[in-house]
Amino acid sequence: MGVDRLDDEDYPAMTMGQAAELLEVQPAFLRSLDAAGVLTPVRSGGGHRRYSRRQLVLATRMRALFDEGLTLDAASRIVALEDELSAARARIAELEAHLAGHNGDGPDR
């Protein structure tokens, strides 16, 4: 597998220091997200936190909400609701496409 893992959004390729530098935050910010259960980084054999690209995107979203003055609880709730809304919209689109196919509007008829 090797280098191909770097294309995987969930592969924990970044150390805490690298993640903090990339996101332009202090490591304490990432530790606070971990302590609050917002992010759960993978631990290396030595116990060091390692972050995936998907986790860095989430940390970036959280940082933007903090910068707007929201608390950790409020920011995490907003992110959770945004994710639920996105999943619901995707499901609605899937069901509408399925329904259209069964009503003769689709390519099967």
Side-chain angles (χ1 to χ4, degrees):
M1 193 169 212
V3 199
D4 294 340
R5 290 186 289 184
L6 295 176
D7 291 333
D8 181 355
E9 288 183 348
D10 295 310
Y11 180 69
M14 296 273 183
T15 65
M16 179 186 288
Q18 292 168 328
E21 183 178 339
L22 183 67
L23 299 176
E24 298 179 350
V25 298
Q26 294 296 316
F29 172 75
L30 295 171
R31 282 192 294 275
S32 71
L33 295 180
D34 184 9
V38 174
L39 288 181
T40 307
V42 172
R43 296 289 182 143
S44 69
H48 300 284
R49 293 172 177 92
R50 299 197 56 92
Y51 296 89
S52 68
R53 286 189 332 206
R54 187 181 312 273
Q55 289 173 322
L56 297 181
V57 168
L58 175 56
T60 300
R61 289 168 68 193
M62 293 294 292
R63 169 71 192 272
L65 291 170
F66 284 171
D67 289 348
E68 291 179 19
L70 287 134
T71 65
L72 177 64
D73 287 340
S76 18
R77 184 68 180 140
I78 287 171
V79 167
L81 289 170
E82 287 173 344
D83 289 346
E84 287 176 25
L85 180 59
S86 178
R89 284 181 173 156
R91 181 67 178 143
I92 288 168
E94 177 186 314
L95 292 171
E96 285 175 340
H98 180 76
L99 184 60
H102 279 40
N103 286 337
D105 298 335
D108 357 65
R109 294 194 183 206

XYZ file of all heavy atoms in Angstrom:
827
model
N 0.837 -1.192 0.000
C 0.000 0.000 0.000
C 0.878 1.251 0.000
O 0.719 2.093 -0.844
C -0.933 -0.048 1.202
C -2.019 0.942 1.133
S -3.223 0.589 2.406
C -4.651 1.138 1.599
N 1.778 1.410 0.942
C 2.775 2.472 0.950
C 2.239 3.878 0.834
O 1.380 4.298 1.588
N 2.760 4.597 -0.152
C 2.448 6.016 -0.323
C 0.982 6.237 -0.690
O 0.448 7.315 -0.465
C 3.342 6.642 -1.422
C 3.387 8.141 -1.310
C 4.725 6.079 -1.421
N 0.325 5.216 -1.218
C -1.089 5.338 -1.580
C -1.949 5.706 -0.372
O -3.007 6.305 -0.524
C -1.614 4.030 -2.182
C -0.964 3.707 -3.519
O -0.426 4.634 -4.154
O -1.006 2.532 -3.913
N -1.499 5.352 0.826
C -2.272 5.678 2.028
C -2.414 7.184 2.217
O -3.356 7.646 2.847
C -1.620 5.064 3.273
C -1.750 3.553 3.304
C -1.243 3.013 4.583
N 0.218 3.144 4.607
C 0.985 2.686 5.560
N 0.471 2.086 6.603
N 2.291 2.824 5.503
N -1.496 7.961 1.682
C -1.570 9.410 1.828
C -2.794 9.989 1.118
O -3.241 11.083 1.439
C -0.291 10.067 1.317
C 0.975 9.719 2.105
C 2.202 10.334 1.452
C 0.855 10.166 3.548
N -3.351 9.255 0.150
C -4.563 9.691 -0.536
C -5.814 9.402 0.282
O -6.879 9.924 -0.012
C -4.690 9.002 -1.898
C -3.637 9.478 -2.881
O -3.164 10.625 -2.741
O -3.274 8.699 -3.782
N -5.687 8.570 1.301
C -6.814 8.196 2.156
C -7.085 9.321 3.148
O -6.220 9.675 3.946
C -6.474 6.899 2.897
C -7.570 6.395 3.804
O -8.599 7.091 3.971
O -7.389 5.304 4.367
N -8.301 9.890 3.111
C -8.654 11.008 3.999
C -8.597 10.632 5.471
O -8.509 11.501 6.329
C -10.068 11.503 3.687
C -10.201 12.242 2.399
C -11.610 12.762 2.195
O -12.525 12.371 2.936
O -11.786 13.579 1.289
N -8.674 9.346 5.759
C -8.709 8.897 7.148
C -7.367 8.357 7.648
O -7.269 7.933 8.797
C -9.796 7.830 7.329
C -11.177 8.412 7.089
O -11.477 9.468 7.678
O -11.943 7.815 6.304
N -6.349 8.385 6.807
C -5.035 7.898 7.229
C -4.369 8.945 8.133
O -4.222 10.108 7.751
C -4.145 7.610 6.014
C -2.782 7.119 6.415
C -2.629 5.867 6.991
C -1.654 7.910 6.238
C -1.378 5.415 7.380
C -0.401 7.458 6.621
C -0.274 6.214 7.191
O 0.968 5.763 7.579
N -3.999 8.560 9.347
C -3.413 9.520 10.306
C -1.947 9.831 10.001
O -1.045 9.316 10.649
C -3.581 8.797 11.649
C -3.539 7.344 11.294
C -4.168 7.227 9.933
N -1.731 10.702 9.042
C -0.384 10.986 8.561
C 0.311 12.129 9.295
O 1.531 12.229 9.253
C -0.429 11.303 7.065
N -0.437 12.992 9.972
C 0.141 14.202 10.569
C 0.345 14.069 12.075
O -0.564 13.658 12.783
C -0.790 15.393 10.357
C -0.997 15.786 8.955
S 0.298 16.932 8.503
C -0.217 17.309 6.875
N 1.512 14.479 12.514
C 1.737 14.564 13.956
C 1.022 15.803 14.480
O 0.595 16.669 13.699
C 3.236 14.701 14.274
O 3.693 15.952 13.741
C 4.057 13.553 13.698
N 0.921 15.909 15.784
C 0.262 17.089 16.359
C 0.999 18.361 15.965
O 0.368 19.359 15.602
C 0.168 17.010 17.880
C -0.504 18.255 18.440
S -0.522 18.350 20.200
C -1.712 17.110 20.567
N 2.310 18.347 16.025
C 3.084 19.531 15.661
C 2.862 19.934 14.219
O 2.693 21.118 13.906
N 2.852 18.947 13.312
C 2.613 19.236 11.894
C 1.204 19.782 11.685
O 1.014 20.737 10.937
C 2.803 17.967 11.059
C 4.219 17.476 10.995
C 4.321 16.073 10.410
O 3.424 15.248 10.569
N 5.438 15.808 9.740
N 0.223 19.156 12.340
C -1.168 19.599 12.208
C -1.335 21.023 12.735
O -1.975 21.857 12.097
C -2.097 18.639 12.953
N -0.758 21.296 13.895
C -0.872 22.637 14.481
C -0.234 23.678 13.574
O -0.801 24.756 13.358
C -0.227 22.651 15.865
N 0.918 23.356 13.021
C 1.599 24.296 12.124
C 0.771 24.528 10.860
O 0.585 25.664 10.428
C 2.979 23.754 11.751
C 3.770 24.698 10.876
C 5.173 24.169 10.557
O 5.679 23.312 11.297
O 5.736 24.634 9.557
N 0.250 23.462 10.283
C -0.546 23.566 9.066
C -1.806 24.395 9.287
O -2.181 25.219 8.456
C -0.920 22.161 8.576
C -1.689 22.065 7.276
C -0.827 22.526 6.110
C -2.152 20.643 7.059
N -2.455 24.199 10.435
C -3.699 24.911 10.742
C -3.473 26.280 11.375
O -4.426 27.026 11.598
C -4.560 24.070 11.689
C -4.996 22.709 11.179
C -5.763 21.961 12.250
C -5.816 22.831 9.909
N -2.205 26.568 11.678
C -1.835 27.828 12.337
C -2.553 27.987 13.673
O -3.161 29.022 13.964
C -2.091 29.019 11.410
C -1.257 28.960 10.144
C -1.512 30.113 9.186
O -2.481 30.893 9.382
O -0.742 30.242 8.228
N -2.494 26.914 14.478
C -3.059 26.919 15.822
C -1.991 26.405 16.784
O -0.983 25.848 16.364
C -4.328 26.026 15.930
C -5.420 26.529 15.013
C -4.013 24.568 15.652
N -2.249 26.583 18.048
C -1.370 26.015 19.067
C -1.751 24.554 19.279
O -2.925 24.186 19.143
C -1.525 26.782 20.388
C -1.058 28.211 20.325
C 0.432 28.307 20.050
O 1.220 27.574 20.636
N 0.790 29.193 19.135
N -0.788 23.704 19.628
C -1.121 22.311 19.931
C -2.209 22.187 21.005
O -3.003 21.249 20.979
C 0.207 21.718 20.407
C 1.245 22.531 19.697
C 0.663 23.926 19.653
N -2.275 23.155 21.919
C -3.302 23.125 22.962
C -4.706 23.142 22.362
O -5.632 22.547 22.925
C -3.121 24.306 23.914
N -4.884 23.813 21.230
C -6.183 23.836 20.566
C -6.578 22.422 20.155
O -7.712 21.978 20.402
C -6.138 24.762 19.339
C -7.382 24.704 18.489
C -8.552 25.311 18.904
C -7.373 24.039 17.279
C -9.697 25.267 18.124
C -8.516 23.989 16.491
C -9.673 24.596 16.915
N -5.644 21.684 19.557
C -5.927 20.312 19.144
C -6.159 19.407 20.348
O -7.042 18.553 20.328
C -4.789 19.780 18.277
C -4.616 20.498 16.933
C -3.341 20.052 16.243
C -5.826 20.274 16.048
N -5.396 19.628 21.408
C -5.604 18.841 22.629
C -6.991 19.097 23.211
O -7.654 18.191 23.704
C -4.529 19.150 23.669
C -3.202 18.459 23.396
C -2.257 18.535 24.585
N -1.810 19.889 24.885
C -0.785 20.497 24.304
N -0.069 19.869 23.384
N -0.451 21.725 24.644
N -7.457 20.361 23.141
C -8.787 20.682 23.680
C -9.887 19.999 22.868
O -10.887 19.554 23.437
C -9.012 22.196 23.739
O -9.178 22.742 22.447
N -9.714 19.905 21.552
C -10.697 19.206 20.731
C -10.713 17.714 21.059
O -11.776 17.082 21.072
C -10.409 19.419 19.243
C -10.549 20.841 18.700
C -10.227 20.878 17.214
C -11.923 21.411 18.977
N -9.546 17.171 21.335
C -9.437 15.762 21.727
C -10.098 15.550 23.089
O -10.919 14.643 23.263
C -7.964 15.354 21.770
C -7.745 13.874 22.063
O -8.722 13.097 22.077
O -6.583 13.493 22.287
N -9.805 16.403 24.049
C -10.365 16.275 25.399
C -11.888 16.392 25.383
O -12.582 15.720 26.159
C -9.771 17.334 26.321
N -12.424 17.215 24.476
C -13.870 17.412 24.386
C -14.553 16.301 23.586
O -15.773 16.253 23.505
C -14.171 18.762 23.740
N -13.752 15.430 22.971
C -14.320 14.343 22.183
C -14.731 14.745 20.784
O -15.405 13.989 20.089
N -14.332 15.947 20.362
C -14.662 16.421 19.020
C -13.795 15.694 17.992
O -14.275 15.268 16.947
C -14.460 17.950 18.908
C -14.660 18.432 17.486
C -15.398 18.669 19.863
N -12.527 15.549 18.284
C -11.582 14.795 17.462
C -11.031 13.656 18.303
O -10.767 13.836 19.488
C -10.381 15.663 17.054
C -10.568 16.751 16.037
C -9.237 17.452 15.784
C -11.112 16.224 14.742
N -10.838 12.521 17.678
C -10.197 11.416 18.375
C -9.018 10.967 17.524
O -9.159 10.089 16.665
C -11.187 10.248 18.591
O -12.356 10.760 19.220
C -10.579 9.167 19.448
N -7.866 11.602 17.713
C -6.715 11.238 16.896
C -6.236 9.824 17.228
O -6.440 9.332 18.338
C -5.660 12.277 17.271
C -6.070 12.773 18.612
C -7.554 12.648 18.676
N -5.638 9.200 16.239
C -5.017 7.891 16.448
C -3.769 8.115 17.270
O -3.101 9.141 17.134
C -4.674 7.260 15.074
C -3.865 5.994 15.227
C -5.943 7.000 14.276
N -3.468 7.176 18.130
C -2.237 7.269 18.933
C -1.175 6.363 18.318
O -1.443 5.215 17.973
C -2.497 6.839 20.374
C -3.472 7.718 21.126
C -2.866 9.066 21.427
N -3.792 9.888 22.191
C -3.409 10.698 23.148
N -2.140 10.833 23.458
N -4.296 11.428 23.778
N 0.029 6.894 18.195
C 1.147 6.096 17.701
C 1.559 5.106 18.786
O 1.057 5.165 19.912
C 2.327 7.012 17.346
O 2.870 7.567 18.541
N 2.478 4.225 18.460
C 2.979 3.275 19.439
C 3.531 3.959 20.674
O 3.440 3.435 21.785
N 4.070 5.159 20.510
C 4.619 5.925 21.623
C 3.592 6.806 22.318
O 3.932 7.573 23.212
N 2.322 6.748 21.882
C 1.262 7.527 22.514
C 1.060 8.914 21.937
O 0.281 9.700 22.462
N 1.756 9.236 20.851
C 1.630 10.564 20.236
C 0.398 10.626 19.343
O 0.067 9.669 18.650
C 2.881 10.899 19.428
C 4.126 10.921 20.248
N 4.435 11.956 21.097
C 5.125 10.015 20.368
C 5.575 11.704 21.703
N 6.023 10.518 21.289
N -0.275 11.770 19.354
C -1.467 11.963 18.527
C -1.074 12.100 17.070
O -0.129 12.799 16.733
C -2.219 13.225 18.974
C -2.844 13.140 20.342
C -3.390 14.523 20.736
N -4.073 14.512 22.008
C -3.477 14.768 23.176
N -2.195 15.063 23.228
N -4.177 14.745 24.295
N -1.872 11.466 16.208
C -1.685 11.566 14.765
C -3.049 11.860 14.137
O -4.045 11.266 14.500
C -1.085 10.294 14.204
C 0.283 10.042 14.842
C 1.143 9.067 14.107
N 1.393 9.377 12.730
C 2.430 10.076 12.275
N 3.298 10.595 13.110
N 2.599 10.257 10.992
N -3.063 12.807 13.201
C -4.303 13.317 12.624
C -4.419 12.985 11.136
O -3.445 13.030 10.394
C -4.377 14.839 12.795
C -4.426 15.249 14.237
C -3.264 15.473 14.960
C -5.638 15.378 14.891
C -3.305 15.824 16.302
C -5.703 15.738 16.225
C -4.525 15.953 16.925
O -4.575 16.301 18.253
N -5.658 12.726 10.719
C -5.947 12.477 9.309
C -6.376 13.788 8.646
O -6.674 14.773 9.325
C -7.079 11.455 9.185
O -8.297 12.008 9.655
N -6.441 13.764 7.328
C -6.912 14.957 6.607
C -8.346 15.286 6.977
O -8.710 16.449 7.129
C -6.818 14.736 5.094
C -5.417 14.789 4.565
C -5.369 14.786 3.077
N -6.520 14.106 2.502
C -6.531 13.520 1.322
N -5.472 13.535 0.579
N -7.605 12.925 0.867
N -9.190 14.263 7.145
C -10.587 14.499 7.524
C -10.654 15.205 8.882
O -11.434 16.124 9.085
C -11.356 13.179 7.572
C -12.844 13.357 7.787
C -13.588 12.023 7.844
N -13.263 11.092 6.797
C -13.846 11.041 5.598
N -14.796 11.905 5.307
N -13.504 10.131 4.709
N -9.796 14.813 9.817
C -9.774 15.447 11.135
C -9.282 16.887 11.045
O -9.766 17.756 11.766
C -8.919 14.635 12.096
C -9.564 13.323 12.479
C -8.638 12.452 13.288
O -7.441 12.395 13.046
N -9.206 11.757 14.259
N -8.333 17.138 10.155
C -7.832 18.506 9.992
C -8.908 19.419 9.406
O -9.009 20.585 9.786
C -6.578 18.521 9.115
C -5.367 17.775 9.685
C -4.175 17.890 8.745
C -5.017 18.268 11.069
N -9.729 18.880 8.515
C -10.845 19.662 7.965
C -11.817 20.013 9.083
O -12.277 21.156 9.194
C -11.542 18.891 6.818
C -12.865 19.544 6.436
C -10.624 18.785 5.611
N -12.116 19.048 9.937
C -13.007 19.297 11.068
C -12.410 20.334 12.019
O -13.099 21.253 12.459
C -13.297 17.991 11.822
C -14.115 18.114 13.103
C -15.452 18.794 12.867
C -14.309 16.740 13.725
N -11.127 20.217 12.308
C -10.464 21.189 13.192
C -10.512 22.584 12.583
O -10.707 23.577 13.301
C -9.019 20.765 13.456
N -10.387 22.675 11.271
C -10.464 23.963 10.580
C -11.862 24.564 10.719
O -12.013 25.767 10.966
C -10.102 23.805 9.088
O -8.769 23.293 9.000
C -10.196 25.112 8.342
N -12.890 23.726 10.577
C -14.271 24.198 10.754
C -14.475 24.708 12.176
O -15.092 25.750 12.392
C -15.251 23.066 10.452
C -15.320 22.713 8.976
C -16.060 21.429 8.724
N -17.482 21.513 9.019
C -18.275 20.449 9.106
N -17.800 19.238 8.923
N -19.551 20.600 9.372
N -13.975 23.955 13.144
C -14.108 24.348 14.550
C -13.387 25.670 14.794
O -13.902 26.559 15.467
C -13.558 23.259 15.467
C -14.349 21.968 15.456
S -16.003 22.136 16.145
C -15.621 22.445 17.855
N -12.205 25.804 14.252
C -11.422 27.030 14.431
C -12.175 28.241 13.885
O -12.215 29.306 14.504
C -10.065 26.876 13.745
C -9.240 28.142 13.622
C -8.696 28.577 14.974
N -8.152 29.901 14.922
C -6.900 30.213 14.608
N -6.041 29.274 14.310
N -6.508 31.461 14.614
N -12.794 28.086 12.725
C -13.548 29.187 12.123
C -14.714 29.598 13.029
O -14.973 30.794 13.208
C -14.059 28.782 10.743
N -15.375 28.632 13.631
C -16.494 28.944 14.528
C -15.990 29.602 15.815
O -16.631 30.514 16.337
C -17.295 27.677 14.831
C -18.072 27.117 13.626
C -18.631 25.742 13.935
C -19.168 28.073 13.197
N -14.848 29.156 16.317
C -14.245 29.799 17.494
C -13.906 31.243 17.181
O -14.119 32.136 17.995
C -12.970 29.085 17.939
C -13.191 27.795 18.673
C -12.118 26.975 18.952
C -14.442 27.400 19.101
C -12.296 25.787 19.636
C -14.629 26.214 19.783
C -13.557 25.403 20.047
N -13.360 31.461 15.988
C -12.990 32.814 15.581
C -14.208 33.734 15.495
O -14.077 34.946 15.607
C -12.248 32.799 14.240
C -10.840 32.221 14.367
O -10.355 32.039 15.509
O -10.225 31.931 13.313
N -15.391 33.138 15.302
C -16.634 33.920 15.279
C -17.181 34.147 16.682
O -18.222 34.781 16.850
C -17.681 33.207 14.426
C -17.352 33.199 12.954
C -18.381 32.458 12.119
O -19.522 32.260 12.595
O -18.048 32.070 10.992
N -16.488 33.599 17.693
C -16.883 33.834 19.068
C -17.715 32.742 19.713
O -18.200 32.908 20.827
N -17.899 31.622 19.030
C -18.687 30.534 19.603
C -17.871 29.738 20.615
O -16.656 29.657 20.525
C -19.173 29.605 18.489
C -20.286 30.241 17.668
C -20.044 30.049 16.213
C -21.611 29.660 18.073
N -18.578 29.122 21.540
C -17.927 28.248 22.519
C -17.675 26.882 21.882
O -18.217 26.572 20.813
C -18.833 28.043 23.753
O -20.009 27.344 23.328
C -19.187 29.362 24.413
N -16.898 26.074 22.575
C -16.613 24.722 22.095
C -17.904 23.922 21.928
O -18.117 23.274 20.904
C -15.661 24.015 23.066
C -15.324 22.565 22.754
C -14.573 22.453 21.442
C -14.494 21.961 23.878
N -18.787 23.982 22.925
C -20.051 23.240 22.846
C -20.902 23.707 21.671
O -21.458 22.892 20.936
C -20.849 23.383 24.145
C -20.247 22.595 25.298
O -19.465 21.660 25.042
O -20.552 22.927 26.454
N -21.025 25.010 21.506
C -21.840 25.550 20.417
C -21.236 25.189 19.061
O -21.958 24.774 18.144
C -21.961 27.068 20.550
N -19.928 25.309 18.931
C -19.259 24.992 17.666
C -19.430 23.518 17.324
O -19.723 23.166 16.181
C -17.780 25.358 17.741
N -19.268 22.627 18.315
C -19.426 21.210 18.014
C -20.856 20.863 17.647
O -21.090 20.038 16.782
C -18.953 20.271 19.098
O -18.785 20.739 20.301
N -21.811 21.526 18.273
C -23.215 21.271 17.937
C -23.514 21.748 16.514
O -24.201 21.064 15.755
C -24.134 21.985 18.938
C -25.583 21.697 18.728
C -25.918 20.254 19.055
N -27.327 20.025 18.840
C -27.820 18.939 18.296
N -27.026 17.956 17.948
N -29.109 18.805 18.118
N -23.001 22.904 16.148
C -23.214 23.425 14.792
C -22.603 22.486 13.756
O -23.238 22.155 12.751
C -22.644 24.853 14.656
C -23.556 25.828 15.397
C -22.488 25.248 13.187
C -23.011 27.226 15.514
N -21.393 22.023 14.002
C -20.737 21.107 13.067
C -21.545 19.814 12.944
O -21.755 19.302 11.842
C -19.278 20.831 13.496
C -18.687 19.661 12.741
C -18.426 22.081 13.289
N -22.021 19.288 14.069
C -22.827 18.058 14.033
C -24.115 18.274 13.235
O -24.503 17.426 12.420
C -23.144 17.599 15.453
N -24.770 19.414 13.448
C -26.004 19.707 12.716
C -25.738 19.901 11.221
O -26.532 19.453 10.381
C -26.697 20.936 13.305
C -27.325 20.723 14.678
C -27.757 22.068 15.279
C -28.492 19.756 14.607
N -24.631 20.553 10.883
C -24.269 20.718 9.464
C -24.047 19.362 8.813
O -24.482 19.130 7.679
C -23.010 21.567 9.328
C -23.197 23.030 9.615
C -21.893 23.813 9.636
O -20.792 23.220 9.732
O -21.983 25.055 9.572
N -23.380 18.456 9.523
C -23.130 17.117 8.988
C -24.434 16.341 8.813
O -24.628 15.650 7.811
C -22.168 16.345 9.888
C -20.742 16.881 9.824
O -20.426 17.664 8.904
O -19.940 16.514 10.709
N -25.340 16.451 9.788
C -26.642 15.779 9.687
C -27.440 16.325 8.504
O -28.077 15.567 7.770
C -27.442 15.957 10.974
C -26.939 15.143 12.139
C -27.710 15.426 13.424
O -28.887 15.855 13.351
O -27.124 15.230 14.500
N -27.428 17.636 8.326
C -28.143 18.254 7.223
C -27.578 17.793 5.879
O -28.335 17.467 4.953
C -28.075 19.783 7.336
C -28.773 20.582 6.239
C -30.263 20.244 6.177
C -28.575 22.074 6.478
N -26.278 17.735 5.782
C -25.639 17.278 4.548
C -26.020 15.833 4.236
O -26.337 15.496 3.086
C -24.120 17.420 4.685
O -23.483 16.954 3.540
N -26.017 14.971 5.246
C -26.398 13.570 5.056
C -27.869 13.466 4.660
O -28.235 12.664 3.785
C -26.126 12.770 6.328
N -28.729 14.277 5.271
C -30.153 14.262 4.940
C -30.385 14.712 3.506
O -31.190 14.117 2.780
C -30.929 15.142 5.919
N -29.682 15.745 3.087
C -29.828 16.225 1.705
C -29.378 15.168 0.707
O -30.013 14.979 -0.332
C -29.027 17.510 1.512
C -29.692 18.711 2.128
C -28.887 19.971 1.910
N -29.624 21.134 2.371
C -29.055 22.261 2.741
N -27.744 22.399 2.691
N -29.794 23.269 3.150
N -28.287 14.477 1.010
C -27.800 13.417 0.124
C -28.824 12.286 0.047
O -29.094 11.746 -1.036
C -26.453 12.889 0.616
N -29.417 11.933 1.171
C -30.433 10.868 1.200
C -31.673 11.286 0.425
O -32.252 10.478 -0.313
C -30.781 10.533 2.649
C -31.787 9.439 2.800
C -31.250 8.090 2.332
N -32.251 7.065 2.560
C -32.474 6.061 1.747
N -31.737 5.912 0.673
N -33.407 5.183 2.015
N -32.105 12.526 0.555
C -33.266 13.021 -0.184
C -32.997 12.943 -1.687
O -33.853 12.490 -2.460
C -33.624 14.462 0.246
C -34.225 14.442 1.652
C -34.579 15.116 -0.752
C -34.344 15.821 2.289
N -31.823 13.365 -2.111
C -31.471 13.309 -3.531
C -31.481 11.867 -4.032
O -31.976 11.587 -5.140
C -30.097 13.949 -3.757
N -30.971 10.964 -3.216
C -30.957 9.545 -3.574
C -32.385 9.013 -3.716
O -32.711 8.319 -4.689
C -30.203 8.778 -2.483
C -30.147 7.290 -2.646
C -29.499 6.630 -1.439
O -28.448 7.112 -0.979
O -30.060 5.639 -0.948
N -33.255 9.345 -2.781
C -34.650 8.887 -2.825
C -35.411 9.507 -3.987
O -36.227 8.833 -4.631
C -35.344 9.201 -1.494
C -34.846 8.398 -0.294
C -35.453 8.944 0.998
C -35.155 6.919 -0.456
N -35.144 10.776 -4.273
C -35.804 11.417 -5.412
C -35.390 10.768 -6.728
O -36.216 10.552 -7.611
C -35.493 12.917 -5.426
C -36.244 13.700 -4.378
C -35.840 15.164 -4.309
O -34.735 15.530 -4.777
O -36.643 15.960 -3.773
N -34.106 10.425 -6.843
C -33.631 9.761 -8.059
C -34.271 8.374 -8.189
O -34.689 7.966 -9.283
C -32.111 9.649 -8.033
N -34.370 7.679 -7.080
C -34.994 6.353 -7.074
C -36.469 6.457 -7.464
O -36.973 5.678 -8.276
C -34.842 5.708 -5.693
C -35.453 4.354 -5.588
N -34.860 3.244 -6.135
C -36.605 3.936 -5.000
C -35.620 2.189 -5.891
N -36.685 2.590 -5.200
N -37.166 7.418 -6.896
C -38.583 7.625 -7.186
C -38.788 8.009 -8.652
O -39.701 7.507 -9.309
C -39.145 8.713 -6.265
C -40.634 8.988 -6.359
C -41.444 7.741 -6.020
C -41.014 10.127 -5.431
N -37.950 8.863 -9.155
C -38.059 9.276 -10.559
C -37.876 8.074 -11.482
O -38.570 7.955 -12.497
C -37.028 10.347 -10.878
N -36.999 7.169 -11.119
C -36.778 5.963 -11.923
C -37.977 5.039 -11.907
O -38.268 4.367 -12.894
N -38.717 5.019 -10.822
C -39.886 4.152 -10.706
C -41.147 4.772 -11.309
O -42.123 4.085 -11.554
C -40.131 3.784 -9.243
C -39.265 2.666 -8.773
N -37.957 2.535 -9.125
C -39.545 1.617 -7.968
C -37.443 1.484 -8.571
N -38.387 0.874 -7.848
N -41.150 6.051 -11.522
C -42.323 6.728 -12.079
C -42.264 6.860 -13.597
O -43.049 7.577 -14.181
C -42.469 8.127 -11.453
C -42.962 8.057 -10.042
O -43.592 7.090 -9.623
N -42.686 9.098 -9.273
N -41.283 6.231 -14.189
C -41.173 6.316 -15.633
C -40.429 7.526 -16.114
O -40.303 7.735 -17.320
N -39.935 8.328 -15.208
C -39.174 9.512 -15.614
C -37.720 9.174 -15.879
O -36.986 9.972 -16.413
C -39.230 10.601 -14.516
C -40.652 11.073 -14.279
O -41.476 10.965 -15.204
O -40.928 11.546 -13.158
N -37.326 8.012 -15.455
C -35.920 7.646 -15.544
C -35.622 6.916 -16.842
O -36.507 6.657 -17.661
N -34.375 6.506 -17.046
C -33.956 5.892 -18.295
C -34.451 4.454 -18.458
O -34.374 3.895 -19.521
C -32.427 5.909 -18.226
C -32.104 6.045 -16.781
C -33.272 6.752 -16.159
N -35.008 3.804 -17.382
C -35.415 2.417 -17.552
C -36.743 2.283 -18.299
O -37.149 1.191 -18.573
C -35.548 1.629 -16.253
C -35.194 2.300 -14.965
O -35.823 3.243 -14.543
O -34.251 1.790 -14.394
N -37.453 3.312 -18.542
C -38.747 3.143 -19.230
C -38.800 3.864 -20.528
O -38.320 4.819 -20.830
C -39.874 3.629 -18.333
C -39.970 2.743 -17.145
C -41.261 2.983 -16.424
N -41.250 2.136 -15.259
C -42.311 1.705 -14.686
N -43.477 2.015 -15.133
N -42.246 0.959 -13.629
